[in-house]
Amino acid sequence: MTTPLVKLKLPNAENDPQLQRVDTLHQRLKLEQARAQELLARLKGEEYQASRVPSPPKTQDWVRGNKQLDMKLDQYRERAKRLEKRSGGRNNKDIGIPELKAEEREIRDLEARVSGLEGRVRGFEGLPPDKEMALMEVEKMRKELEALARRRDAMFEGLVDNDK
């Protein structure tokens, strides 16, 4: 009779650590379940609920901000188009030092040409804007120049005659 009892006690003794382990896991699961339910209750609370209809001031702020962003976007697009037109549709990433030097030479040549043209234009300062009037003014100045040249020649001849 003692042997069957001992035999029954042995498997029971082997199962005790396993039962304790299962019991510990069961307690941990209960704690995790309680935490999860608490978190779920907090998430269902008013603090985390999205309002169905935004408040009018918020909506107005959003609409105003949206309009401002749309206007800025349009302005930036216009600027980009203007810059692209100025650059002649070229991709500025393709420009290197040799291209810049060539453009610099072209600009210097154009500046020299402009300076020459400005000099020529200065020669016409003081003339009336009407072509006929300008021609008359030029003819008047030519006659005045001829008269001054004759006077100079006469003065020179007078000096020569005085030296003799």
Side-chain angles (χ1 to χ4, degrees), residues 36-49:
Q37 285 177 343
E38 182 183 322
L39 179 62
L40 182 62
R42 273 192 359 212
L43 290 175
K44 285 184 179 180
E46 282 185 34
E47 183 180 346
Y48 291 101
Q49 291 297 317

Side-chain angles (χ1 to χ4, degrees), residues 10 21 27-28 31 38 50 87 112 116 127-128 131 155-156:
L10 268 175
R21 186 169 171 215
Q27 293 301 324
R28 286 187 183 166
L31 283 172
E38 182 183 322
S87 67
L127 291 177
K131 184 179 177 182
M155 291 172 93
F156 183 72

Side-chain angles (χ1 to χ4, degrees), residues 112-129 134 138:
R113 184 173 175 214
V114 166
S115 294
L117 290 173
E118 285 176 345
R120 286 182 61 192
V121 167
R122 272 189 233 110
F124 294 101
E125 282 180 3
L127 291 177
V138 168

